[in-house]
Amino acid sequence: MKQLPYRQIHLDFHTGDAIPSVGEGFSPDEFAGVLDDAGVDSITCFARCHHGWLYYDSCEFPELIHPKLVDADLLKKQIEACHAKGIRVPIYTTIQWDGKMSYEHPEYCVIAPDGSLDNYAPQKPGFYTYLCVNTPYREFLKAHLEEILTTLPTDGIFMDIVQERDCSCRYCKEGMYELGLDPLKKVDRMKYAHIMIREFKKEIAQFIRSFNPDCTIFFNGSHVGPGIRDSLDAYTHLEVESLPSGGWGYTHFPLVSRFTRTLGKEFLGMTGKFHTYWGDFHSLKNQAALEFECFSMLAAGGGCSIGDQLLPSGKIDQATYELIGNVYRSVREKEPWCRDVTPVVDIGVFNLEEWADHESPAPMIGIMRMLEESAAQFDIIDSLSDFSRYKLLIMPDSVPVDESLAGKIREYLIAGGSLIASFESGLKPDGKDFALEEFGIRKCAVDDTDWQGERSAGKDYFTNDYCDFIRHESPIHAGLPDTELAMYIRGLTVEASAADTELLGSVIKPWFYRTPEHYSSHQHTPSSGEVGAPAVTRRGNVIYFSHPICTTYRKKGPRWVKTMLLNAVDMLIDRRVHHNGPSTLKVTLNSQEAKNRWVAHLIHYIPERRAEQIEIIEDVIPLHQLGISLQTGERTVTGVVMVPEGRELPFLSTEDKVEFTVPEVRGHSMIEIRFGEA
C-alpha cells in the first residue's frame, strides 16, 4: 500500500432536510482548486451522514438520497474533481448514528439495560441514538457499502461511530447465551460488546477487501486504546480523533498518540479547523493553535487530518483553506523528516485504560504532564507491549499485577530493566498485597475509612482532609527545600519486607485528619512531626512511592511531586534529553534509521484557559538561545542542522552525548542530528 497522505481533510457534511437547495453552489473546479492551493493531498467526502441521507445517486436506496440535494452526483463529482488534481478521496459513511434509521427502525437500536433506546433523547435536537450492528441493520450496511464500492471510485472507506455499547437487544442477548455469558451482568454484556464489535469489524473489512483490496479502511470509535489490539488486522491505518476545543483537551492527543505509535500501523492525528466542536460553522481556529496541533502530530510520528464541514450549499470556504494552507504548506516542507520514523524513547508508561473503564484516567494525565514538562522520552504501553525496548517502566498509581504480568515484569527486571511504581500499582488484582517480592515491601492493614464511610486512601478532598507530609534525606530530595512537603492525597500504608529495602523518605503524620468534628483552619491539619510509614522505598532497580503522586500532580500540580518523580528517574537511568528552556517546551526525538539520522522536534505553544469551556492558543512566544543536550550512545555525530532551513549549528560531541544551541524556536523547530557510518 502507498504511504498514508500527511495533509488530509475530513470534510463533514451532516445536512438536515430542513435546509433547501443542498449542493447548489458546488463547483468542481473551485472545490478541487482551493484544496490543491492549500496543499491538501487527501479529503474524506460523504456518502451518508448522521441524519441518514445519501449524497450519491443510489439505485439501491433512492429513498435515502437527500430530498433537497440539487445534484445526486455530488460525491461522484467531488471525487472526479479531486482525482484530476491528484488528491485522494476516501469515502465517509456513518455506522451507529443515523437519525432516520433509528427513528424508522427502533428494532435496530441498542437497548439499554433498563429497556430504553440507548442515548434516545426525543426532547432534544440530535441524531445520537445508537444503532446495534448485531441486528439485521448489518445487512443494510453491507448492501450500502457494496453499492459504494461498485459504483464509485473508492480510495478508502471511513466508517464513523463504531463503539462498544452496553446492549440488551434480543440479538445481543442470544449471542451472550451462546457464549455462556450472563446478560444480567454488565461485565458480561461489555465483554460480549467487545467480541461482537471485533467480529463486526473483521467481517466488514473482509467484505470491503473482496471488492477493493487496495482501499484504506478505518473504523472510528473516537479513541484508540488497548482494546483495539485484537482487531488491528481490520484496519489499514489508525486515526486519532482529538479536537482539543471539542472536549478532548490538550492532554488527550499526546497520551493516545504515544500508545497508538506502538501498534505498528501508520496513523493520523485528527483535529478541526473549528473554534469549538464539529459543526461550528463560520468559525476559524487560531492559526497558532492549528500549528501546534498539526506539528504535534508530526512529532508523534503521524500524519495530519483537519476536520471541516462543507456548507449546505456545497461551496467551499476560502478563508478556511487559507488558514489550513498556511499550516499545510509548512507541513509539506517538513514531511521528509517526519515519515518512516521510530521514536527514540527510554521510558514505557503503563496505560491504565487496560484496567479502567474510562479514557485518560487522572493518573495518566498526571504522569504524562510530569514527563513531557521535563523532556523525558516515553511511550504509553500496555501489558502486551515489548518491555525490552525501555530502560525504565512506570506504573502510575493503579496498575494491578496478575501472575502473567508479574512474570513478565520479573524477567524484565532480571534483564536489567528498572521500575517506578506508585500507590496501588504492583498490588495483586485482589488488592491484598504486592505481587512482586522485588518491590521489597508489603501492604499493611489499616483502617482508612473517612467520616462518610468511604475509603480515604487515594481520595481527593477539596480541603485535603487526609493530607500527610513527606520529608526525605536521600537523592529523592535533590533540588527541594529542606522542609516537610504536603502530599495532599493519602497513600497506602506499607512496610519493608526485605532486609535490603532502602528507605528514601518517610510519611510525616498530621496532628489529626480533618473531619466535621475535628479540624483546624481552612484546610488540612499541619504536621505533628511524628514519623510514620515509608513514603518512598528502593530495592535494587525498583523505586516505590506510597502516595498517588500521578493523581496528585493531575489534581493539584505541586512542583515538588514532579521533582521527586524526576529524581527517581535519574536515580535509575540517564535521561535522553536535557535543555535549559521552560517546562512549556515539548521535545520529541525520532529516528530515521534509513537516513542515519535523528530528528528532534522542539515545540513551544502555550494553551491558556481564557474561556470557560476551552483552552486558547493565540500567540507564538519564541525561545532564544536554547541549549540542548542529547544522549547518543556510541554513535558518532557528524552534523547538527535546523531543517528544513538547512542551517548548520555548531555542536560539541563527546563519547555518548551531543550538545548544541538553537538560536530561536518560533513555535516549532526541527533539528537533524546526523550520524557517521557505524
Side-chain angles (χ1 to χ4, degrees), residues 73-92:
D73 278 330
L74 175 62
L75 174 58
K76 183 179 181 182
K77 290 181 177 179
Q78 288 174 327
I79 295 171
E80 290 173 344
C82 288
H83 281 181
K85 293 285 188 180
I87 299 171
R88 184 174 168 274
V89 189
I91 296 173
Y92 172 102

Side-chain angles (χ1 to χ4, degrees), residues 69-189:
L69 188 61
V70 172
D71 185 348
D73 278 330
L74 175 62
L75 174 58
K76 183 179 181 182
K77 290 181 177 179
Q78 288 174 327
I79 295 171
E80 290 173 344
C82 288
H83 281 181
K85 293 285 188 180
I87 299 171
R88 184 174 168 274
V89 189
I91 296 173
Y92 172 102
T93 190
T94 184
I95 301 295
Q96 287 176 290
W97 285 349
D98 181 319
K100 182 176 175 61
M101 188 70 69
S102 61
Y103 181 76
E104 295 179 353
H105 293 278
E107 72 275 15
Y108 292 170
C109 293
V110 171
I111 305 299
D114 63 1
S116 64
L117 304 185
D118 184 20
N119 219 36
Y120 180 52
Q123 304 304 321
K124 296 180 180 179
F127 33 57
Y128 306 112
T129 305
Y130 279 85
L131 291 158
C132 179
V133 296
N134 205 26
T135 67
Y137 171 60
R138 186 182 300 199
E139 297 310 309
F140 162 80
L141 287 174
K142 291 169 76 171
H144 167 54
L145 288 168
E146 181 175 352
E147 184 173 48
I148 291 171
L149 290 158
T150 56
T151 64
L152 293 166
T154 308
D155 296 323
I157 299 286
F158 182 106
M159 289 161 281
D160 201 12
I161 316 299
V162 183
Q163 299 175 0
E164 297 170 12
R165 306 298 297 181
D166 186 351
C167 184
S168 293
C169 77
R170 56 170 286 198
Y171 302 98
C172 287
K173 289 177 69 176
E174 289 170 1
M176 284 182 253
Y177 288 133
E178 289 177 5
L179 295 178
L181 300 173
D182 186 352
L184 297 180
K185 296 178 180 178
K186 182 173 181 179
V187 64
D188 280 11
R189 295 195 302 270

